[in-house]
């Protein structure tokens, strides 16, 4: 990489607004200044990473300029609330392109770099994304931060700055292999460390009661361990607005990092022991909790970031004139699932022990501060902690939890006298087996608002999972359907479609997504449909090139791109998709001249390292590809690809190229889903069940524009209640039986009939996710997909209408719902109404 002499000359050019200017000349000057003065690099010898860092630093200047302006505006609104979004995950994705789009300088930066013989696209591709999330939960948090800033809602995201994020996935011999995600190894230019804002976090030890000078009973916590939490701030800019909020992630550090006494006597391991132990807390995203040590580390992580967050919030509140009793008037804190729920007893501890509030006053402040978002119906995902572990790490918090529970149970008995079974179900403490603390129950009692994330999910929460809480506190429950940011997942990811849409209906749609409705009048225009297909085909060519580079498999851009990318899990039913592929394969083997729609089946997603069945599904997908891709009878009409290491960055290449979006989870299992929204916004048609947000997507785009199959949630429950027997379906359906037998025979495993035996036996004898029950409906629905694909004009019309009617699924709408129903927060400069 050897830039032209213009880059060198720009180093000394006076008069450029290098910190805030948005024109190409100022941006070029800024990049060169960072190269020369900050990184000590000459442009002629700088690496691609040097240019990436310099470009990022130049963009960051402009973000922090707006961040200071936002803080100034907030300081002039002392009575307004700020949103604190507490989440164990923030899957932000790469930042450069998104920030350039939000600043409105994407083209200007491209020109600035072009003058130095640097391609912006190369720097965007070079960027490493921080894998600080497992999937939908963390990506939703990132979308919400984007929307909060775009809507000019003052907000801060709190989480953990994991040194190693979710693993990098490689596929070796068809199996998932997990590699360390070293996202920091080349530097992360978007953040700024704030060591002066560090927080002391305590663990273990014991409590002691005492009487204060006013004669009141008080408790102090004497910890056994103290760890320092150091904040790292990343600016989060809204789209084409001045508001720039913060993502504040905390890194664990030892209070005393080096023991000179131990070192001097030659005990070098003990000299750094405390440093290593402390830093372990923020080392890895979701450490394996199968062992007692892993469980303890997970709990320490959860307490670590909420303790840092609550202390940080309280410190800011007091610094700007607030009192402990008015904390809830300045902060609205959202618990993103149960991971941050220990924030409830932590706030109580601070208000009671450090600031001397009485219990009732502290509890009122706490409840008015927190809202709780539930993200799952799966029982295993509703967190619990063994009481002995919780008490050992957080002894004062356990005392507070016991008192919360005593008062809760007394209240239940007053409302439902004699109903001890209800008391048992709602108690914060599970008494059966090893006593444990139910975090979902703690979140429910400690929050003034509880929401699900899709209409069906909320209804099932209310009727099943949390029905007792609904009966006692009905006013707390509401639904807020998830959304995604169109800035990242359309403007950044799909510039071709974005340009076509803006030229056709105007360029306000990225912040007013309902404006996409204007596309409806163009769905019947043959010229517009042709242009729409050209954009899609270009996206498919790009993805085909990436697939060839990453996997060595050639896919035809003219074929139907049938895509399922998401976390690998049995309830998401990637194996149902495989059964359909093998059905088509067998049909071709029986009749090689069969007229069949050519398809490229693309899978992607990560399986949890300890989840054997999910890993086996990945192996099955790869084995299916090995069987199908090069079979001469198939003649290239079917291709199967497993796209490795699915991430936000890879998703941005995949979503725009999809023709068909697979959203085939068992009805009643998916809370919402957001991949379904990203695909539909990029023009993919959806094949899916009535699960999660699929229901609302189908309602919005029209039933005639959605490929529906499968049992409903009620039918799933009814089938299970009446004694579902999957083996009978297998025996009665000849084509299904042949496909299952093909897998069982070892034909996909080099003749080894044992490789997929557990998967086959699970389907035949248990099938908890109703794969066999939905098989025939799914195959028939796929035949309807194929029939429509043969009519490009009809397919294009349906694709356009899907995009046009997706306005509801912007994360901006979700955030407005939270602001109105939960947080009672308004934009900067606007009065706040309805706040507690």
């Amino acid at each position: 990489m050897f830039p032209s002499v213009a880059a060198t000359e720009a180093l000394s050019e006076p008069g450029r607004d290098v910190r805030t200017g948005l024109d190409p000349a100022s941006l070029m000057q800024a990049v060169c200044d960072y190269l020369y003065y900050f990184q000590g690099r000459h442009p002629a010898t700088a690496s691609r990473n040097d240019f990436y860092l310099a470009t990022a630093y130049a963009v960051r200047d402009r973000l922090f300029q707006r961040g200071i302006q936002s803080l100034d505006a907030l300081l002039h609104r002392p009575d307004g609330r700020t949103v604190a979004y507490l989440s164990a995950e923030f899957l932000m994705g790469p930042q450069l392109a998104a920030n350039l789009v939000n600043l409105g300088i994407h083209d200007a930066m491209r020109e600035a770099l072009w003058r130095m013989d640097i391609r912006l696209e190369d720097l965007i591709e070079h960027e490493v994304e921080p894998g600080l999330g497992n999937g939908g939960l963390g990506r939703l948090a990132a979308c919400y931060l984007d929307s909060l800033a775009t809507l000019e809602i003052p907000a801060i995201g709190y989480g953990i700055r994991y040194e190693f994020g979710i693993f990098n996935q490689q596929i070796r011999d068809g199996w998932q292999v997990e590699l360390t995600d070293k996202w920091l190894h080349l530097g992360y230019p978007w953040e700024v460390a704030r060591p002066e804002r560090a927080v002391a976090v305590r663990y273990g030890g014991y409590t002691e009661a005492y009487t204060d000078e006013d004669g009141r009973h008080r408790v102090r916590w004497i910890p056994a361990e103290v760890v320092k939490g150091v904040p790292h701030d990343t600016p989060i800019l809204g789209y084409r607005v001045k508001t720039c909020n913060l993502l504040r992630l905390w890194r664990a550090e030892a209070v005393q990092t080096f023991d000179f006494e131990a070192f001097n006597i030659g005990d070098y391991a003990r000299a750094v022991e405390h440093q290593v132990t402390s830093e372990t807390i923020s080392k890895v995203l979701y450490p394996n909790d199968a062992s007692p040590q892993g469980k303890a580390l997970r709990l320490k992580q959860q307490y670590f970031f909420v303790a840092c967050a609550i202390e940080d919030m309280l410190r800011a509140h007091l610094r700007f004139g607030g009192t402990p009793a008015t904390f809830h008037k300045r902060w609205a804190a959202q618990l993103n699932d149960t991971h941050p729920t220990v924030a409830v007893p932590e706030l109580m501890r601070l208000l009671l022990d450090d600031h001397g509030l009485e219990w009732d006053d502290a509890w009122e402040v706490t409840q008015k501060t927190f809202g709780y978002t539930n993200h799952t119906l799966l029982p295993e995902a509703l967190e619990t902690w063994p009481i002995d572990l919780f008490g050992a790490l957080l002894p004062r918090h356990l005392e507070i939890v016991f008192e919360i529970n005593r008062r809760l149970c007394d209240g239940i008995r007053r409302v439902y006298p004699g109903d001890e079974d209800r008391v048992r179900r709602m108690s914060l403490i599970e008494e059966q087996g090893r006593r444990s603390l139910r975090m979902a129950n703690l979140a429910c009692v400690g929050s003034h608002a509880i929401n699900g994330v899709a209409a069906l999910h909320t209804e099932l929460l209310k009727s099943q999972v949390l029905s007792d809480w609904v009966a006692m506190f009905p006013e707390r429950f509401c639904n807020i359907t998830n959304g995604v940011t169109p800035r990242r997942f359309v403007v950044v990811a799909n510039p071709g479609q974005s340009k076509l849409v803006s030229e056709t209906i105007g360029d306000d749609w990225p912040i007013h997504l309902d404006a996409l409705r204007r596309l409806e009048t163009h769905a019947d225009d043959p010229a517009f449909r042709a242009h729409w297909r050209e954009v899609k085909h270009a996206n498919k060519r790009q993805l085909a090139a990436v697939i060839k580079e990453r996997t060595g498999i050639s896919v035809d851009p003219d074929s139907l791109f049938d895509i399922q990318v998401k976390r690998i899990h049995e309830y998401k039913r990637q194996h149902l998709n495989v059964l359909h592929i093998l059905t088509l394969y067998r049909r071709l083997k029986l009749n090689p001249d069969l007229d069949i729609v050519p398809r490229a089946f693309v899978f992607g997603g990560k399986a949890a390292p300890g989840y054997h069945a999910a890993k086996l599904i990945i192996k099955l997908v790869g084995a299916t590809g090995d069987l199908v891709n090069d079979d001469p009878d198939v003649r290239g009409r079917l291709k199967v690809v497993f796209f490795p290491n699915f991430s936000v960055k890879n998703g941005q290449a995949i979503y725009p190229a999809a023709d068909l979006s697979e959203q085939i989870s068992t009805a009643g299992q998916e809370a919402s889903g957001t991949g379904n929204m990203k695909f539909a916004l990029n023009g993919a048609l959806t094949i899916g069940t009535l699960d999660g947000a699929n229901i609302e997507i189908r309602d919005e785009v029209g039933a005639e524009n959605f490929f529906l199959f499968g049992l409903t949630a009620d039918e799933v429950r009814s089938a299970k209640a009446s004694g579902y027997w999957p083996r009978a379906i297998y025996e009665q359906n000849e084509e299904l039986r042949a496909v299952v037998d093909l897998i069982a025979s070892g034909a996909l495993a080099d003749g080894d009939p044992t490789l997929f035996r557990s998967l086959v036996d699970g389907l035949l004898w248990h099938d908890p996710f109703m794969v066999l029950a939905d098989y025939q409906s799914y195959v028939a629905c796929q035949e309807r997909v194929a029939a429509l694909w043969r009519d490009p004009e009809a397919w294009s019309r349906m694709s356009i209408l899907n995009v046009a009617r997706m306005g509801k699924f912007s994360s901006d709408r979700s955030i407005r719902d939270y602001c109105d129903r939960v947080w009672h927060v308004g934009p900067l400069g606007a009065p706040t109404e309805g706040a507690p």
Side-chain angles (χ1 to χ4, degrees):
M1 185 177 291
F2 296 101
S4 68
V5 70
T8 307
E9 293 174 347
L11 293 172
S12 57
E13 188 174 349
R16 292 293 178 198
D17 187 4
V18 297
R19 294 294 188 186
T20 61
L22 303 179
D23 60 284
S26 297
L27 292 169
M28 177 181 169
Q29 180 79 48
V31 172
C32 289
D33 277 7
Y34 269 109
L35 267 180
Y36 190 79
Y37 297 112
F38 191 73
Q39 294 165 249
R41 291 291 193 183
H42 191 284
T45 58
S47 68
R48 179 171 293 179
N49 191 61
D50 291 326
F51 272 100
Y52 162 71
L53 291 174
T55 303
Y57 287 132
V59 173
R60 192 185 70 178
D61 282 348
R62 287 137 182 89
L63 303 184
F64 276 127
Q65 176 203 16
R66 288 154 178 78
I68 297 298
Q69 294 171 348
S70 299
L71 179 60
D72 185 63
L74 185 60
L75 294 179
H76 284 84
R77 193 182 76 161
D79 58 340
R81 297 185 103 195
T82 297
V83 174
Y85 201 80
L86 307 181
S87 179
E89 303 181 29
F90 285 95
L91 196 57
M92 299 304 296
Q95 293 293 291
L96 179 56
N99 283 324
L100 291 174
V101 164
N102 285 354
L103 282 165
I105 61 170
H106 191 277
D107 291 343
M109 183 60 82
R110 176 187 282 116
E111 181 179 340
L113 293 170
W114 176 80
R115 294 179 184 181
M116 297 183 282
D117 295 332
I118 305 297
R119 294 179 71 249
L120 174 60
E121 291 74 16
D122 291 338
L123 303 188
I124 290 172
E125 178 57 33
H126 171 79
E127 183 174 16
V128 177
E129 71 170 276
L132 305 185
N134 186 45
L137 186 82
R139 186 52 236 172
L140 182 76
C143 284
Y144 282 177
L145 291 187
D146 174 272
S147 286
L148 283 160
T150 297
L151 296 175
E152 301 192 88
I153 307 296
I156 183 166
Y158 283 112
I160 300 178
R161 183 182 180 269
Y162 303 100
E163 182 178 343
F164 303 114
I166 189 170
F167 59 88
N168 284 323
Q169 180 195 59
Q170 284 191 359
I171 303 299
R172 297 178 186 170
D173 191 28
W175 292 101
Q176 170 180 291
V177 176
E178 300 96 24
L179 303 178
T180 304
D181 173 28
K182 300 178 181 179
W183 67 279
L184 289 166
H185 73 292
L186 291 176
Y188 189 63
W190 302 104
E191 67 179 8
V192 174
R194 309 286 193 192
E196 75 282 2
R197 298 285 182 88
V199 171
V201 181
R202 298 178 279 180
Y203 296 101
Y206 60 94
T207 64
E208 60 182 23
Y210 69 100
T211 302
D212 68 11
E213 59 273 15
D214 296 323
R216 296 189 306 168
H217 176 79
R218 301 287 295 279
V219 178
R220 66 168 61 92
W221 178 15
I222 313 298
E225 178 186 5
V226 179
V227 173
K228 187 190 301 183
V230 180
H232 292 249
D233 290 349
T234 300
I236 307 297
L237 180 67
Y239 180 75
R240 308 291 173 90
V241 296
K242 296 293 186 182
T243 298
C244 186
N245 290 324
L246 278 183
L247 170 62
R248 178 163 284 177
L249 302 178
W250 299 86
R251 174 176 57 84
E253 186 178 285
V255 174
Q256 180 181 346
T257 59
F258 193 77
D259 186 339
F260 270 107
E261 183 179 350
F263 184 84
N264 287 335
I265 64 173
D267 192 347
Y268 304 132
R270 188 162 65 87
V272 295
E273 179 181 18
H274 188 50
Q275 178 184 0
V276 171
T277 302
S278 298
E279 292 179 358
T280 298
I281 293 172
S282 59
K283 189 68 73 174
V284 178
L285 169 72
Y286 291 159
N288 191 325
D289 61 355
S291 67
Q293 296 89 343
K295 280 184 168 46
L297 180 55
R298 285 281 289 269
L299 180 55
K300 290 180 81 170
Q301 284 186 333
Q302 292 184 8
Y303 178 65
F304 170 74
F305 90 86
V306 301
C308 291
I310 299 298
E311 177 65 28
D312 194 57
M313 294 157 64
L314 191 54
R315 186 168 55 188
H317 177 60
L318 298 177
R319 184 167 68 246
F320 294 115
T323 66
T326 60
F327 179 78
H328 59 289
K329 294 184 179 296
R330 187 173 309 257
W331 289 101
Q334 194 67 23
L335 306 174
N336 191 29
D337 217 13
T338 55
H339 309 121
T341 302
V342 72
V344 172
E346 171 65 4
L347 180 55
M348 285 293 291
R349 182 189 70 81
L350 290 170
L351 296 176
L352 292 169
D353 299 350
D354 291 8
H355 297 282
L357 268 63
E358 297 294 340
W359 180 278
D360 289 344
D361 295 333
W363 187 240
E364 181 181 8
V365 170
T366 297
Q367 281 190 312
K368 287 183 176 180
T369 297
F370 291 112
Y372 163 49
T373 300
N374 176 284
H375 284 279
T376 185
L377 297 166
L378 299 176
E380 64 269 22
L382 294 174
E383 271 190 318
T384 62
W385 292 109
I387 289 294
D388 52 355
L389 171 62
F390 193 90
L393 284 176
L394 303 171
R396 178 57 179 144
H397 298 74
L398 185 60
E399 292 175 353
I400 292 170
V401 165
F402 281 152
E403 180 60 16
I404 294 171
N405 196 48
R406 183 188 68 80
R407 292 169 180 247
L408 168 67
C409 292
D410 287 348
I412 298 169
R413 290 185 178 103
R414 284 194 299 271
V415 178
Y416 300 99
D419 193 348
E420 286 303 307
D421 194 48
R422 184 182 298 266
V423 174
R424 177 190 59 76
R425 295 194 304 267
M426 294 182 70
S427 171
L428 305 186
I429 311 301
E430 170 60 65
E431 302 287 355
Q432 300 297 316
R434 187 180 183 185
R435 295 180 76 214
S436 57
L437 171 57
R438 299 161 166 164
M439 301 307 280
N441 287 16
L442 179 58
C444 287
V445 73
S447 303
H448 69 277
I450 303 161
N451 71 279
V453 292
L456 175 63
H457 171 240
T458 299
E459 193 54 44
L460 293 174
L461 272 183
K462 292 167 69 174
S463 63
Q464 298 178 32
V465 181
L466 300 177
S467 57
D468 291 324
W469 295 93
V470 174
M472 190 156 180
F473 304 107
E475 72 285 352
R476 296 188 186 182
F477 284 81
C478 65
N479 174 64
I480 300 179
T481 297
N482 286 346
V484 300
T485 168
R487 274 78 62 178
R488 176 174 293 277
F489 290 108
V490 185
V491 179
V492 173
N494 198 344
Q497 180 179 304
S498 299
K499 182 174 183 289
L500 175 59
V501 171
S502 293
E503 289 173 348
T504 305
I505 65 169
D507 62 1
D508 61 336
W509 59 270
I511 50 174
H512 302 292
L513 202 60
D514 285 333
L516 289 175
R517 281 277 180 180
R518 301 174 199 151
L519 285 173
E520 286 198 34
T521 59
H522 300 274
D524 292 316
D525 178 356
F528 183 78
R529 290 199 298 259
H531 203 166
W532 190 263
R533 288 193 294 275
E534 290 171 7
V535 169
K536 177 66 74 173
H537 199 265
N539 293 335
K540 292 169 70 174
R541 289 197 303 271
Q542 291 174 10
L543 180 59
V546 175
I547 288 173
K548 177 66 174 177
E549 176 190 345
R550 305 278 178 90
T551 71
I553 299 172
S554 297
V555 296
D556 182 0
D558 290 328
S559 63
L560 191 164
F561 277 24
D562 185 334
I563 300 184
Q564 187 176 16
V565 290
K566 55 182 71 229
R567 184 163 50 94
I568 308 297
H569 196 290
E570 289 170 282
Y571 89 80
K572 295 178 184 288
R573 302 200 297 188
Q574 286 89 354
H575 44 336
L576 175 59
N577 193 341
V578 171
L579 293 181
H580 171 242
I581 297 170
L582 292 174
T583 298
L584 296 180
Y585 172 73
R586 281 197 70 259
R587 290 176 182 176
L588 285 173
K589 293 299 288 183
L590 293 171
N591 181 7
D593 295 324
L594 186 67
D595 183 14
I596 190 172
V597 167
R599 295 202 198 206
F601 295 92
V602 180
F603 294 80
K606 297 178 180 179
Y611 190 177
H612 175 71
K615 287 187 165 184
L616 197 59
I617 288 173
I618 293 175
K619 176 65 173 175
L620 178 64
V621 171
T624 301
D626 292 341
L627 180 72
V628 169
N629 290 346
D630 297 321
D631 190 307
D633 289 336
V634 174
R635 299 200 295 273
R637 289 171 288 178
L638 302 179
K639 286 294 180 78
V640 181
V641 176
F642 191 91
F643 194 105
N645 203 41
F646 183 63
S647 62
V648 176
K649 186 175 182 178
N650 288 331
Q652 290 174 195
I654 292 172
Y655 296 125
D659 293 308
L660 186 67
S661 163
E662 297 273 353
Q663 306 299 329
I664 59 176
S665 54
T666 312
Q669 296 290 319
E670 188 74 82
S672 170
T674 53
N676 46 9
M677 304 169 190
K678 296 162 193 169
F679 277 115
L681 276 168
N682 282 282
L685 305 188
T686 305
I687 182 169
T689 55
L690 289 177
D691 194 32
N694 284 359
I695 298 170
E696 291 158 89
I697 291 175
R698 182 172 179 263
D699 288 344
E700 292 293 313
V701 305
E704 69 281 6
N705 298 313
F706 187 103
F707 294 106
L708 176 66
F709 77 95
L711 301 175
T712 66
D714 286 342
E715 288 168 342
V716 168
R717 285 194 299 274
S718 176
K720 290 183 176 180
S722 61
Y724 173 57
W725 184 238
R727 178 87 192 190
I729 297 174
Y730 159 84
E731 291 172 349
Q732 294 164 13
N733 188 316
E734 181 180 351
E735 199 164 41
L736 171 61
R737 186 169 66 253
V739 168
V740 172
D741 288 349
L742 177 66
I743 299 171
S745 71
L748 283 75
D750 296 324
D752 179 5
T754 66
L755 180 60
F756 298 115
R757 179 174 295 166
S758 62
L759 198 59
V760 170
D761 287 348
L763 291 175
L764 292 179
W765 304 106
H766 307 288
D767 195 18
F769 301 110
M770 315 297 280
V771 173
L772 301 193
D774 277 349
Y775 165 82
Q776 191 57 52
S777 176
Y778 178 58
V779 170
C781 191
Q782 288 283 15
E783 290 170 357
R784 299 200 301 274
V785 170
L788 185 71
W789 180 256
R790 295 180 187 277
D791 184 346
E793 295 293 340
W795 186 281
S796 299
R797 182 180 186 277
M798 193 180 290
S799 172
I800 294 164
L801 291 177
N802 264 259
V803 173
R805 296 171 181 177
M806 284 295 292
K808 173 180 177 177
F809 301 101
S810 169
S811 49
D812 297 351
R813 189 269 315 148
S814 303
I815 289 301
R816 289 190 188 97
D817 287 348
Y818 276 106
C819 287
D820 293 343
R821 302 178 193 174
V822 178
W823 301 330
H824 308 293
V825 178
L828 284 169
T832 302
E833 298 181 359

